[in-house]
Amino acid sequence: MTTTWGSRFNRAVGAPAGLLLASAASAAAAPVNLTVLDFDTMNGGVAIAEEVIALTGQEFTDFGVRITADPNGTGTTLGLFNTDCDGTGQPDCSGNDDDLATGARYGTVPQGLALILNGAAPDGLNDDPDGGSITFEFTDPGGVDFGSFELLDIDEEDPLHAPDILFSFIIEDGTEAGLQLAEASVETLAAGLALTVENLSAKTDDQGAPDPQLGDNSHWRYRFVNNPLFFPVNADGYIENVRSATVRYDTISGAVGSLTFDRPNEVPLPA
């Protein structure tokens, strides 16, 4: 069974052909309890109709996830940014910040709401250029099997050589603290052939030519490849028994479009 929270699970199928920028991962069999958290639906199955300036981080606990932020900037909160705008003001992007816009103009499937470190709170929304960390804590017993992050608006000409985007995980090992896997940057993981980066954008310029400036309005999928020096990845392409997953933007901005994980030990919600 595939569990989809929100409306965008099939976007990877409908998206333009991606470009694999690192060594290919093992062919992944579909897990039996796959969850794609895309921030368009909150607890109780309630659709989130509009942008949210400040989240508590408890809005997605029905899906086995609590979210916390450790921002670099003062006053920064977690927020949900509306990316379904075309960058021309029709309709307006959240905070008129059109570098997070998605849709046909940028060769991407519309991404709806995306999670950001909001540096414009409490009055507006803007992904904070000072960056910081976003941590996803998984509450199912034994954790989850983690698959991928999809990130938007990565301000790098080459997303494989990004020292300022970093990932870390805590693995459930039966102890109170868990097993902390060392933080590693995209650049380091790519150099170690421990990461695949897939371009999900067919972005073009105003004349319809391929746009070499892939930072603004970009859409990338980051998956992990087994390497004993970094993260242990199973044959299906998942890091097993993950208690928490963290993405850190080191003094750059960006957004999390979605994350994918399997819940083999999902705790049913009360009837």
Side-chain angles (χ1 to χ4, degrees):
M1 179 183 70
T2 297
T3 305
T4 62
W5 305 116
S7 57
R8 292 182 277 118
F9 175 72
N10 290 322
R11 67 189 179 283
V13 176
L19 173 65
L20 249 121
L21 299 175
S23 65
S26 303
V32 296
N33 198 16
L34 186 67
T35 297
V36 178
L37 181 63
D38 63 13
F39 313 111
D40 289 333
T41 306
M42 65 169 60
N43 295 339
V46 177
I48 305 174
E50 58 186 12
E51 62 193 38
V52 180
I53 289 177
L55 296 171
T56 68
Q58 303 295 317
E59 288 84 357
F60 306 100
T61 54
D62 280 6
F63 317 137
V65 180
R66 285 193 292 260
I67 309 173
T68 57
D70 184 12
N72 293 333
T74 301
T76 297
T77 67
L78 288 167
L80 291 179
F81 185 102
N82 177 24
T83 74
D84 284 352
C85 51
D86 64 8
T88 64
Q90 302 296 326
D92 287 339
C93 302
S94 294
N96 293 315
D97 184 17
D98 61 8
D99 59 354
L100 276 173
T102 62
R105 185 167 187 250
Y106 305 105
T108 58
V109 173
Q111 294 300 293
L113 295 166
L115 184 68
I116 64 170
L117 291 167
N118 181 22
D123 301 317
L125 280 154
N126 197 347
D127 51 329
D128 192 342
D130 290 332
S133 298
I134 301 174
T135 295
F136 303 90
E137 179 189 355
F138 302 104
T139 59
D140 291 342
V144 302
D145 295 346
F146 190 87
S148 64
F149 283 107
E150 291 190 16
L151 305 182
L152 309 177
D153 184 36
I154 298 303
D155 294 330
E156 301 285 350
E157 292 300 318
D158 181 353
L160 268 187
H161 296 89
D164 38 19
I165 304 169
L166 304 100
F167 301 109
S168 61
F169 298 90
I170 295 178
I171 304 299
E172 183 64 67
D173 67 350
T175 67
E176 183 176 352
L179 176 63
Q180 174 74 62
L181 302 182
E183 183 182 64
S185 70
V186 167
E187 182 175 52
T188 299
L189 291 167
L193 301 181
L195 185 75
T196 64
V197 184
E198 187 177 359
N199 182 11
L200 299 180
S201 169
K203 185 180 172 186
T204 60
D205 62 22
D206 291 340
Q207 284 71 48
D211 189 343
Q213 303 298 320
L214 291 175
D216 289 349
N217 312 106
S218 58
H219 181 188
W220 304 95
R221 179 186 293 126
Y222 292 81
R223 292 184 62 91
F224 304 94
V225 181
N226 189 48
N227 183 321
L229 296 177
F230 299 107
F231 307 139
V233 179
N234 67 20
D236 293 334
Y238 288 77
I239 304 173
E240 296 180 337
N241 307 119
V242 173
R243 181 186 293 182
S244 70
T246 298
V247 57
R248 180 162 71 90
Y249 294 100
D250 187 12
T251 64
I252 63 168
S253 62
V256 180
S258 67
L259 54 152
T260 301
F261 52 94
D262 186 29
R263 300 180 68 186
N265 302 307
E266 178 180 357
V267 177
L269 294 174

